[in-house]
Structure formats: C-alpha cells, structure tokens
Amino acid sequence: MLLRYRFAVLLASGLCACCATAQPSDVAITTQQAALSLIPLPAKLVQQQGSFRISSATPVLAKGEAAETVAHQFVDYLHRSRSLDLVVSADPKPQAIEFAIKADIAASPEGYALEVTPQLIRVTAADSRGLFYGAVTLWQLATLNDSKSIQVPAVRIQDAPRFGWRGLMLDSARHFQSVDQVKALIDAMALHKLNTFHWHLTDDQGWRVEIKRYPKLTGTGGCRIPAGDGGRDPQTDAPVPYCGFYTQEQIRDVVRYAAERHITIVPEIDVPGHAQAAVAAYPELGVTGKHIHVLNEWGVNTTLFNVEENTFQFLENVLAELIELFPGTYVHVGGDEAVKDQWKASARVQERMRELGAKDEMAMQSHLIKRLEKFLVAHHRRLIGWDEILEGGLPAEATVMSWRGIEGGLEAANQGHDVVMSPSSELYLDYLQTDSPNEPPGRPATIPLKQVYAFEPIPAALAADKRAHILGLQANTWTEHMRSYARVQHAIFPRIAAVAETGWTPAQNKDWPGFVARLPTQLQRYRALGIGYAQTPFEVRSTLSAERKGRMVQVALSNSLDYDDMRYTLDGSVPGPTSTAYAGPFSLPLPARLRAAVFADGQALADAPLQRIDATTLLTRTNAALAMCTGALMLRLEDDGPLQGERAIFNVDIFNPCWEWKAANLQDIASITVRAGRIPYYFQLAHDEPARKFKPAKSAHGELEIRAGCDGAVLATVPLPASPDADGFVTLKAPIEATGTSQDLCLYFTGDTRPTMWVLDQVTLQPR
C-alpha cells in the first residue's frame, strides 16, 4: 500500500486539445535568446537590435477595462520589484508601453504577442488572460538585472501555453497559512504563469473552511493538541491547541484575489478517508459513533466516514456551500488512502453495502464518489479526485489526479478520463531538494530541481488519440512538517519554476543547462519580491579529507547545480565577488575557518555559513551527515519542543532506528561518544505497521548498539536510561575496539519505546 503522507515509494519514472497545439513551436529558443532569462521560456522568441528604456516618465497606455486592469498590474509589479512608479493613461503618447485586447491575436485565450522596439513596447492578446501573461513576460524583461536603468531588450514574442492545467497544491489542513500568506503564494504563482491553485482544506489533522450549516467542523475540527511538548504550556502543562480556519468571507476574498490574477482555485474536501477532523466534530459521521479527537499524528489512520444516507447528505450539504464559495469548474473530493478496516469490521456498514448493491469496500467507495459526482454535475461542476477513485469504476465525467506515479494517469486516459499528472516521484514538494544538512524537516529522499524539470506529463506509452486527456501537471505541497510559511516557500521555490516551464514551454524548447543559466536572474526577482526561496540547491558543499595526522585537511568544494563561480574566504569574512575563486581542491592547516558561496553576475546565490574545521570536527558527524542503514522509511523530523522558536532536527528511519557512519577512520580511536534525544513517535502506518522492525532489548530500557557494519560484530553497547536529561538529550560513551583503520559503523537503538523514540543527534570518535 502506498502512503502519500511521507511513505509514497518513489516510482520510476493540454486542459483541452487546443491548448496543447495553439502555441507556435516551430522555432527553438537559442542560447542567445535564453540569456534573456525568461522563465518559463516563450513558445517563439526572436531577438532584435536595440532596447527600450523604461523611466518614471514612460507612459503606459491601455484602452478598455480589461487592458487597463492588466496595465495597472504590470505597473504594480514593476513598483514592487524596481521601485518605479508609472502612470496608466488612455491617451496616445510616443515612447509608450501599450496594452491592448485584439480579438484575432491568438488562438489560445492564454496566448499573447509582445513586441519591443527602441520606440515602443506593445502587448496584445485576444483575452485578458493572455494579456496578463504578456505583462508578466514584459515584467521579467524589465527585471533582467538590478541596475538603476531599465533597458528592455528588443524582441518579438508569440506565446501560448503547452498545457491548460498548470497547478500548485497547498495543504492548509496539516499546518495553517494566513490569508496574506496564501495571497502571497497566489501572487508568486501568477508570476510563473500558473493558473490552478488546488487548496487542500480538510484532513485528519484539521478542517479549515467554514461551513455555516455545520459550525463544529471548524469549532471542534479546526483545532488539535500537538503531540509532546509542542502541545503543552511549559509553565502550567496545560494543553495548547493548534487552531485555524478560513471564514467564508476570507475564502471569497482569496477567490477574488486569485481570479484577478487568472488563477482558478480548486477546493478539496477529502472523502471517505482523511476524515478524522470531521468525525471528531460530528461523531455520528463516523463508523463507530465514538467521540474521538482531531488527530495529532502524521501518516494514514483508519478513520472513515460511514456510509449512511445522513452522511451522504452531510457531504452534499458541505459541497453545496463550497460551490457558492468557489466558482471554478472543479471540486476535488480526495478519495486517497481510505483504509477500509473500519468498513470491513462494521456489521452496519456491511449491511448497508448489501442494501446499496456494493459487492466490496472498493465498490462502496465508488458508490460514494459517483453519488458526489452526480450532485456536482447537477450544480454545473466537475469532480476530480486522486487516482484511487479509479478503483471500483468511475463515471466518464470524473477527472483523475495521478499521484502514485503515472500509471493511474495512463489507465484513466485510456478509459477516456481527463487527467492531471502529479506523481509523488517528481512533483511532491515536501520531499527535500538536496542532501544538505541545512534542509528543513521533510523526507530525506530527495526530489532535486533537475528531477522536477525532467518530468514529462504525457507518457510515451499513451496513444496519440488519448493524449488530449492529459490536461497538464501539478506540484503538491504537503505541510506535515512545515510549521512556518518560510518552510512552505523553501519547499516551493525554485522548484516551481521548473514546473512552470514544463507546463508552459513546448517540450522541444526545454533546455536544462539553459534553465540553470536563467535561474540566477529568477532568484534576483525572488529577492526583490521578498520570496524566501530554498538556498540549499545553491549552497557550496565541502568535502574534507584529513592529512598529516590531523594537522592538515584537504578541501574540495562543489554545488549541486554545478555553477562554475565559487568563491571562498579563510578568515571568517563573508565572501564577495572578488574573493578567492575556487579552482580545485586545496590544503588547509588546522584549525581553519571556511566560508564559500556560488556567484552569478556578481551576486551570491545563497548565504555562506561559517564552517569551523579542527581535529574534533573531523572526528564528528552530526545526524544529517550520517546515512540511514536501510532507508525503509526515512524522515527528517523536528523535535516537539520548545513550544515557540527553533527546534532540533533529526534524520530518522522510523521503520528501523539505525544510522550509519560510512568508512569511519578508527585509527588511534579509543572510544565513541553519542548524543541522543527522544521525541514523540507520532505516526500511524495502517497496513504498513508490520514493516516497523525493532531489535529486541536486552535490558530494561533498551540499548545503543554499535556494530562493524549493519550485520557485523558488536563493537560497543550502552544501556539506555529510562528517560533523557532535562534538556531532552543524553550523552552516551563507550570504549570501542577498531577492526581496522577504516570501518562502516552502524548505530541503532533496541526495543520498542513508543509512544516516544530515540533519535541520534551527534557522534564523536575520541582518540587515544
């Protein structure tokens, strides 16, 4: 069983037919044209001689309400990014920027034409959507650098998107974002020419949308008590609830805001699983009828809606209010990870299935989906759900969002269903971007930028006459471990730029080296707009090798995107564009202070944290620098406390609490010191629970065991205490006998310590 939460196994791997064919794609983008740093690349671009200078005196012309709206949006973006104030007017003037709607300019409503000459800039489109995207392209051309003079290069662009669904999903159920934060994300989506915002509003851990007919959904279902110290007041030990929901007035405000930027919001109400917040609010909706709490654990639990007529009517009543709030075509009903244990165990559910003619539990889920689909169609809406809704059969009008790889999308398209490709293996943004120790909590299995960029939404195995069913693609941001909006931004940016280019640009024009070359300018735009993009893909990593018995160290620098210009300092100062350029590995006497950064156009692409190197650090590995022994279910987890502020972060395999120090240098080593902590075990694994393995404990509270390789001889063992020290950690020390100069060390904790678990923080080898 695939568990989307964190447990999805990484798999190998146009909204309408006219959208996939409307753009002119006969001319590939050249390297010179790519230097204009447009993301996504246009379908057709011809660079010309000269440039147009934009100054505070440049008039902006627009006729008609639609053109005036877009002109004002362009002026606003330019003000925010370049602090330049322009005036929109309807009176013709020379040396102007013109926005105009022309009915015959493009076959696609999202298409546009842009022409820049030294005398004039003209943006035209048949529809306000296309005109807006033309304005976005012009804004990008006006932000190619941060110089005081804005020189827009002369170009002719004819452009339209490859796909009609270019989406981003935000999970507001697990962690809540403010209205202003949601709007900021929508703004950034628009500047990437994305047009669909999928809003995940309900789950086991919270119900986030006000439904006036059922006030307890937010009154009770909108709050949970986090596990461990994160849910208790440190002074009084009283529970501290985590709450949040959007009022209907706020929802309407966000919907209007998105529509102004030509983004449609698709709300999601998950059924029949991921239902615990709703059942906590109204126990009669559940299978057991018992009072339960809003879930404060992650993973997949077994709470389902029951299948009574009253529950079906409840769901239809919820959808009725959603339809009034969200005017878009689609409503998402989830359908994923609905573990059927409760239905199987309930005599009443089994009786009800017989009444409805459902031969098994999958058919019962299909009955529910078809019921909701019929309701939505009657209200001029279309149903979309995760690919599990294929199981048991679907009505032809239903659309499938394929997340368990692309296989569900292939099956759905071959059956005649429309499909949005959203595979966890390429487009799940809660997976980490790099193996850097500076990554925030998430899943240490990585989906780097290059992997996102390489994804192709139309499978080669799909027949040509079925390809129009691929509406497009969508990246998903699940927020279990994103306590802050800063982490949401880290997850999304810059990977969303890769998603945007795949969704917009003709496949034959995509170019990974060119994309990487254009990224520094995109990062400059992010900085100008206050977008907190992930720095880890751009940071410099160092590989250290001890020399001359620990008195010298050889340093090799690298960065994950292979940028050439890396510069460093050795005096603790922040490197600048004139600092020493890295030309190859070099030797340093110890102790040393190293700082390094990647540069492009004289600008550092990421911070350069200070790295102190001495004999002790060479013999120390932090948690993030160790490998997992098996990698069965790797997570990068945050401590549960303190209630406010920064928390410690640990890599852990919750199926097998074992860490590996590969090729540890044990020459002249006498002992090993391990700093370990304990955090709540807050996971539900459903049918994957039997895969959770524990090595048997030999003493009352288990042991820390250290082996020569994961199946090798025991080198050291230390009994664990009943509890850690007051700070949540304990330091364990044991003598160790080397079996050679270099040895893989596996460190693991024995015994089943749930509801808490031991995590490894740091390991240090102590010399003789």
Side-chain angles (χ1 to χ4, degrees):
M1 173 183 178
L2 289 170
L3 307 181
R4 181 208 293 129
Y5 150 63
R6 288 279 179 251
F7 315 144
V9 176
L10 285 175
L11 303 174
S13 119
L15 190 57
C16 58
C18 65
C19 296
T21 59
Q23 73 282 349
S25 58
D26 55 317
V27 179
I29 303 297
T30 67
T31 302
Q32 180 185 15
Q33 292 161 347
L36 294 177
S37 296
L38 298 176
I39 293 178
L41 275 178
K44 184 176 182 179
L45 181 154
V46 178
Q47 193 164 358
Q48 303 182 105
Q49 295 297 315
S51 63
F52 182 99
R53 182 176 180 270
I54 299 178
S55 71
S56 57
T58 302
V60 179
L61 306 182
K63 284 188 177 181
E65 183 179 353
E68 287 180 5
T69 297
V70 172
H72 281 290
Q73 289 173 317
F74 169 75
V75 167
D76 177 60
Y77 286 134
L78 203 58
H79 169 76
R80 289 164 53 192
S81 57
R82 298 302 300 264
S83 299
L84 184 68
D85 292 315
L86 302 181
V87 176
V88 177
S89 169
D91 299 328
K93 292 181 178 67
Q95 294 291 121
I97 301 171
E98 295 182 1
F99 292 91
I101 297 290
K102 292 188 176 182
D104 59 348
I105 197 67
S108 166
E110 294 185 303
Y112 66 92
L114 169 62
E115 183 171 11
V116 180
T117 72
Q119 294 77 38
L120 178 71
I121 295 177
R122 181 180 289 118
V123 186
T124 53
D127 187 276
S128 59
R129 287 170 285 179
L131 198 65
F132 176 80
Y133 293 131
V136 169
T137 300
L138 178 57
W139 170 77
Q140 288 196 3
L141 290 172
T143 53
L144 294 177
N145 56 60
D146 56 3
S147 65
K148 292 183 179 180
S149 176
I150 303 177
Q151 300 287 341
V152 179
V155 293
R156 286 202 321 271
I157 294 174
Q158 286 182 274
D159 201 10
R162 182 186 178 199
F163 292 108
W165 187 301
R166 305 179 303 281
L168 174 68
M169 191 272 314
L170 177 65
D171 170 12
S172 294
R174 274 55 174 270
H175 279 103
F176 182 76
Q177 302 84 33
S178 71
V179 168
D180 285 344
Q181 289 166 346
V182 173
K183 286 182 175 180
L185 184 57
I186 288 170
D187 238 348
M189 289 176 61
L191 292 176
H192 289 81
K193 301 179 183 174
L194 302 180
N195 66 356
T196 305
F197 178 54
H198 173 179
W199 207 354
H200 187 79
L201 290 166
T202 73
D203 216 295
D204 297 310
Q205 295 84 6
W207 185 285
R208 305 297 179 206
V209 54
E210 179 188 25
I211 303 297
K212 292 187 181 295
R213 186 163 181 169
Y214 302 106
K216 290 183 181 179
L217 286 174
T218 49
T220 299
C223 294
R224 66 173 181 266
I225 306 300
D229 292 344
R232 316 296 299 185
D233 186 296
Q235 304 300 321
T236 65
D237 199 40
V240 178
Y242 180 94
C243 302
F245 70 91
Y246 305 102
T247 67
Q248 292 200 357
E249 182 180 358
Q250 289 174 321
I251 291 284
R252 290 189 178 95
D253 179 39
V254 173
V255 169
R256 280 194 303 268
Y257 192 86
E260 289 168 357
R261 288 148 184 81
H262 305 283
I263 291 173
T264 300
I265 299 182
V266 177
E268 180 183 355
I269 303 297
D270 217 340
V271 302
H274 291 282
Q276 186 150 325
V279 174
Y282 294 98
E284 64 271 22
L285 299 175
V287 175
T288 68
K290 296 179 180 178
H291 287 271
I292 57 176
H293 63 274
V294 178
L295 193 67
N296 62 358
E297 298 176 298
W298 311 126
V300 177
N301 81 61
T302 57
T303 299
L304 299 182
F305 285 111
N306 66 40
V307 294
E308 300 295 335
E309 177 61 26
N310 287 343
T311 299
F312 292 171
Q313 291 179 359
F314 160 84
L315 293 172
E316 290 176 347
N317 292 337
V318 168
L319 290 178
E321 292 198 31
L322 282 183
I323 288 168
E324 292 300 315
L325 295 173
F326 297 95
T329 300
Y330 286 93
V331 175
H332 203 298
V333 299
D336 61 306
E337 299 177 332
V339 181
K340 305 301 191 297
D341 293 0
Q342 286 190 340
W343 284 2
K344 291 178 179 178
S346 168
R348 172 56 191 154
V349 170
Q350 294 298 312
E351 179 185 16
R352 176 75 168 149
M353 286 168 53
R354 289 190 292 272
E355 292 173 2
L356 296 172
K359 64 179 180 179
D360 56 26
E361 289 73 25
M362 293 311 304
M364 184 66 248
Q365 175 167 321
S366 177
H367 177 90
L368 171 59
I369 297 298
K370 290 175 180 176
R371 168 81 177 254
L372 298 181
E373 194 270 346
K374 183 178 180 180
F375 178 87
L376 290 171
V377 168
H379 290 79
H380 310 291
R381 297 293 192 272
R382 292 189 64 179
L383 178 146
I384 186 170
W386 303 108
D387 55 56
E388 285 96 331
I389 66 173
L390 281 165
E391 300 165 358
L394 273 183
E397 296 81 4
T399 299
V400 172
M401 188 167 280
S402 184
W403 74 273
R404 297 179 299 177
I406 63 172
E407 288 76 10
L410 269 169
E411 179 184 351
N414 282 324
Q415 291 182 16
H417 297 288
D418 287 344
V419 174
V420 176
M421 286 296 192
S422 189
S424 61
S425 49
E426 274 80 23
L427 299 182
Y428 268 37
L429 302 185
D430 48 327
Y431 284 76
L432 303 186
Q433 303 184 54
T434 71
D435 61 356
S436 167
N438 297 318
E439 287 284 350
R443 180 164 180 157
T446 59
I447 299 181
L449 186 63
K450 187 174 184 179
Q451 187 173 336
V452 177
Y453 190 84
F455 175 66
E456 169 50 47
I458 298 180
L462 187 62
D465 63 341
K466 302 292 186 182
R467 294 187 173 190
H469 285 299
I470 307 299
L471 304 183
L473 75 165
Q474 178 176 291
N476 295 331
T477 312
W478 302 103
T479 64
E480 288 92 338
H481 302 302
M482 298 181 196
R483 274 197 308 133
S484 67
Y485 183 63
R487 289 184 181 169
V488 172
Q489 292 183 93
H490 177 101
I492 292 173
F493 304 99
R495 287 185 291 188
I496 200 62
V499 175
E501 188 139 305
T502 299
W504 185 281
T505 303
Q508 66 270 28
N509 286 355
K510 286 184 63 182
D511 169 33
W512 168 249
F515 177 79
V516 173
R518 286 177 276 127
L519 263 183
T521 302
Q522 189 75 351
L523 302 186
Q524 177 181 291
R525 297 180 185 118
Y526 291 163
R527 290 189 293 269
L529 295 173
I531 295 173
Y533 67 88
Q535 299 207 356
T536 47
F538 308 98
E539 69 182 11
V540 174
R541 303 289 299 278
S542 62
T543 301
L544 308 177
S545 303
E547 299 177 346
R548 302 180 192 174
K549 295 186 177 181
R551 292 191 292 271
M552 298 284 292
V553 65
Q554 186 179 67
V555 180
L557 302 182
S558 63
N559 64 87
S560 64
L561 295 175
D562 296 325
Y563 286 104
D564 292 331
D565 191 4
M566 291 184 288
R567 296 179 180 270
Y568 64 92
T569 64
L570 301 175
D571 61 0
S573 63
V574 176
T578 61
S579 298
T580 305
Y582 178 70
F586 56 92
S587 294
L588 283 178
L590 297 180
R593 293 183 297 167
L594 173 67
R595 300 181 84 157
V598 169
F599 283 80
D601 299 323
Q603 175 72 52
L605 303 188
D607 293 337
L610 176 63
Q611 184 176 7
R612 299 181 184 274
I613 310 169
D614 56 30
T616 300
T617 60
L618 291 175
L619 293 174
T620 299
R621 294 291 183 272
T622 62
N623 173 283
L626 298 171
M628 299 289 103
C629 293
T630 62
L633 183 47
M634 299 184 297
L635 299 174
R636 186 158 167 79
L637 298 178
E638 186 178 54
D639 200 353
D640 59 316
L643 181 63
Q644 302 293 333
E646 293 297 315
R647 300 176 179 177
I649 297 173
F650 311 95
N651 285 2
V652 62
D653 181 346
I654 67 170
F655 276 18
N656 182 28
C658 178
W659 295 259
E660 186 174 15
W661 183 338
K662 294 182 181 294
N665 185 356
L666 299 184
Q667 189 173 12
D668 300 321
I669 297 300
S671 63
I672 186 169
T673 300
V674 176
R675 187 172 190 256
R678 201 154 73 175
I679 64 176
Y681 181 92
Y682 38 32
F683 305 98
Q684 293 199 15
L685 304 182
H687 294 168
D688 283 346
E689 180 62 36
R692 177 80 160 91
K693 303 297 182 184
F694 301 94
K695 290 180 170 52
K698 302 181 181 65
S699 57
H701 307 295
E703 301 81 28
L704 166 69
E705 286 196 357
I706 304 166
R707 289 181 176 267
C710 293
D711 298 317
V714 176
L715 302 180
T717 182
V718 185
L720 293 168
S723 61
D725 297 335
D727 64 355
F729 292 90
V730 65
T731 299
L732 308 168
K733 185 173 182 179
I736 188 170
E737 288 194 19
T739 58
T741 58
S742 181
Q743 176 66 62
D744 291 346
L745 297 180
C746 284
L747 304 92
Y748 60 85
F749 299 107
T750 66
D752 186 346
T753 60
R754 292 177 291 184
T756 62
M757 61 180 172
W758 288 100
V759 290
L760 190 150
D761 182 50
Q762 182 172 286
V763 183
T764 302
L765 300 175
Q766 305 290 347
R768 298 185 188 281

